[in-house]
Amino acid sequence: MRVVMKFGGTSVGSADAIRQVAAIVNESRQDHEVVVVVSAMNAPDLRTTDTLIAAAHAAAQGDGNATAHVAPRLLDLHMRAAAELAPPAACAALEPEIRTMLDYLSNLSRSIAVLGELTPRALDLFSGLGERLNARLIATALRAAGVPAEAIDATELIITDDRYGAASPLMEETTERTRKRLLPLLEAGVVPVVTGFIGATRAGVPTTLGRGGSDYSCSILGSCLDANEVWFWKEVDGVLTANPKVVPEARSLRVLSYSEMAELAYYGANVLHPKTVLPLVQRNIPIRIRNTFNPTHPGTLIGEGRGDRTARAVTAIKEVSMITVGGPGMLGLSGVAARIFTAVARAKANILLISQASSEQSVCLAVPLAETSAAVAELRKELESEFSAHNVEHIEVKDSVMIIAVVGSGMRGTPGIAGQVFGAMGEAKINVIAIAQGSTENNISLVVSATDGDAAVRAIHRSFAL
């Protein structure tokens, strides 16, 4: 059985955490071929990627020594952990590798300061360094624990387009390179420790995969290697029925369908980014979410099928605005909806929810709070002639709202689900501003005031006895 497993920043954020990772990998390799994907270290006092990005921006503002200032801290962070995990000889071999990478970035920051410009391509070099440092540290720790391991930069494996900061993999070439590089190691019993988050163009220029990039790297490699399963090691016991900070009685779910996981991820469940699931769904590769710090817990298995309960979980997106475009002249006005969506797209705003009454006199859009101003400006520009003709009379904005999503593939075709949701809202005396439900019936979404959001999540969770 072949398993690709990814460890996130907190799971590799200290010597103790890395020691736990080594124990997990060592036990897993007794029965499986194992590939490990790692994020950058997230220590309590030093978040590696954030620190590197801040240094890059400081360099663009003229501070040529920005990276030189943080390099000693990063070197110390990694070497202190190494000293607790590996013998002196191994540490002595690791230190020059880390110094070389940090020196390169220090030289780059001085060049950026001279130019006074930080290009997306240069920023990717900065933001992807933490994974490169940590892969070498973890490979060293694994070898010290008796596990044959080799650190590998994903720039050797994952070939992407040149959209720096949010690159997309070129899967055919990535599959060929990944299999050629990693399969011989697996056959020899060696554990590859691969950098998450980064890739490279065909020309070899480093790129990053954007938000959720390390998880995405793991999914890409799992797909390329025909893994039997892909495991994401987090800091929670799998996917929970709700945010435990809001609902203390939230419990972990034993199984989820791919579609349920995608809905939960989109609507704010901080477990997997939606794009992460796609390469594995396409190959029907099961996913497990497990807890690095509680490895005996089975976690959550995600795969094909349909949930055996109606609602499975409830989640929320915070910091949202509701934009309503309305007017009596919109009734039967051909193409107005398309123009509204085009204007919002021009503003590069992400539409989280859409609601329209059958009267056609208004369209409601939920967008992230930070993107609201740009969206409204583009809407006013696009609909200027409709305002002049009084076909459109207002663009209203409700700030400080939340989207609550009730998710479960078992809701499909089950009567009374919507009534149960809104009954819970009525009992809790919470006003529902807008609602939406997709044709798959996997999700019922409602918009409420931000002040009512947590109470709404608790009321729905309680109503369905999740």
Side-chain angles (χ1 to χ4, degrees):
M1 179 170 169
R2 182 175 298 155
V3 176
V4 180
M5 55 177 68
K6 182 260 179 179
F7 294 90
T10 306
S11 295
V12 290
S14 67
D16 286 342
I18 293 171
R19 192 176 289 111
Q20 178 71 11
V21 167
I24 290 169
V25 173
N26 195 19
E27 182 177 351
S28 298
R29 66 184 285 269
Q30 306 306 316
D31 301 312
H32 312 311
E33 291 182 343
V34 175
V35 176
V36 173
V37 178
V38 297
S39 297
M41 286 186 79
N42 272 345
D45 58 340
L46 183 58
R47 297 177 67 87
T48 300
T49 302
D50 291 346
T51 300
L52 288 165
I53 291 173
H57 286 289
Q61 296 299 315
D63 183 0
N65 291 317
T67 305
H69 295 323
V70 302
R73 295 175 60 205
L74 292 171
L75 177 65
D76 180 65
L77 173 68
H78 290 80
M79 293 312 302
R80 272 192 294 111
E84 294 187 44
L85 296 163
C91 294
L94 174 65
E95 185 170 351
E97 287 190 78
I98 292 179
R99 283 189 181 275
T100 298
M101 287 186 281
L102 291 171
D103 287 345
Y104 171 77
L105 220 59
S106 294
N107 292 334
L108 179 60
S109 70
R110 285 189 283 272
S111 299
I112 290 170
V114 171
L115 293 172
E117 179 184 5
L118 178 63
T119 64
R121 174 172 168 171
L123 182 58
D124 275 3
L125 287 170
F126 275 83
S127 55
L129 181 68
E131 281 73 13
R132 297 179 64 207
L133 298 174
N134 208 23
R136 286 154 177 80
L137 169 60
I138 291 174
T140 298
L142 287 173
R143 291 191 293 267
V147 179
E150 181 177 337
I152 299 172
D153 287 345
T155 49
E156 297 183 46
L157 312 175
I158 298 177
I159 309 305
T160 74
D161 58 21
D162 59 359
R163 189 182 172 199
Y164 300 104
S168 296
L170 307 176
M171 288 302 293
E172 186 174 341
E173 295 165 70
T174 295
T175 299
E176 181 181 349
R177 289 222 193 170
T178 297
R179 296 182 70 84
K180 183 177 180 180
R181 182 72 172 89
L182 299 189
L183 288 180
L185 292 176
L186 294 175
E187 290 168 6
V190 176
V191 174
V193 181
V194 184
T195 55
F197 188 47
I198 65 175
T201 65
R202 289 190 178 105
V205 179
T207 58
T208 61
L209 301 177
R211 182 184 170 197
S214 290
D215 286 348
Y216 196 18
S217 301
C218 185
S219 293
I220 292 165
L221 297 181
S223 175
C224 293
L225 292 169
D226 293 321
N228 297 94
E229 290 188 0
V230 170
W231 298 355
F232 293 94
W233 292 90
K234 305 282 185 177
E235 297 79 48
V236 292
D237 292 332
V239 182
L240 303 183
T241 53
N243 182 347
K245 294 179 181 178
V246 177
V247 183
E249 64 271 24
R251 61 179 183 84
S252 62
L253 291 159
R254 186 178 59 83
V255 294
L256 276 176
S257 68
Y258 288 128
S259 61
E260 288 169 334
M261 184 67 250
E263 293 279 3
L264 287 169
Y266 183 80
Y267 280 98
N270 189 24
V271 180
L272 293 177
H273 192 276
K275 71 181 180 183
T276 294
V277 180
L278 186 58
L280 303 176
V281 173
Q282 291 171 337
R283 302 297 297 273
N284 192 25
I285 297 173
I287 301 166
R288 288 189 188 272
I289 310 294
R290 302 185 66 182
N291 190 342
T292 306
F293 306 105
N294 186 18
T296 59
H297 193 285
T300 301
L301 176 64
I302 302 164
E304 281 192 319
R306 172 176 168 171
D308 55 359
R309 294 166 60 92
T310 53
R312 307 297 310 285
V314 55
T315 187
I317 302 179
K318 299 183 178 181
E319 297 186 352
V320 173
S321 292
M322 175 65 70
I323 302 172
T324 301
V325 181
M330 287 179 61
L331 178 62
L333 191 61
S334 179
V336 68
R339 292 174 60 199
I340 288 171
F341 300 139
T342 298
V344 175
R346 249 192 337 261
K348 295 182 170 46
N350 183 27
I351 298 177
L352 304 171
L353 177 145
I354 303 164
S355 181
Q356 181 178 21
S358 59
S359 68
E360 301 182 41
Q361 293 191 46
S362 67
V363 177
C364 299
L365 313 169
V367 301
L369 189 62
E371 299 168 4
T372 303
S373 296
V376 170
E378 286 295 337
L379 284 167
R380 292 193 181 281
K381 188 187 304 180
E382 175 68 31
L383 301 172
E384 185 177 0
S385 61
E386 281 71 19
F387 271 102
S388 298
H390 299 287
N391 289 325
V392 174
E393 292 189 339
H394 61 267
I395 298 178
E396 295 180 351
V397 177
K398 284 185 180 291
D399 289 328
S400 301
V401 300
M402 286 175 59
I403 300 175
I404 311 299
V406 187
V407 173
S409 57
M411 298 193 307
R412 185 173 186 176
T414 303
I417 299 298
Q420 190 169 346
V421 170
F422 296 115
M425 294 296 90
E427 287 180 14
K429 297 184 174 10
I430 294 171
N431 181 47
V432 176
I433 299 168
I435 61 172
Q437 180 175 13
S439 59
T440 63
E441 300 183 53
N442 285 348
N443 178 327
I444 297 175
S445 299
L446 47 148
V447 180
V448 300
S449 168
T451 57
D452 291 329
D454 288 352
V457 170
R458 286 191 288 267
I460 293 169
H461 193 276
R462 185 168 55 248
S463 173
F464 284 95
L466 297 175

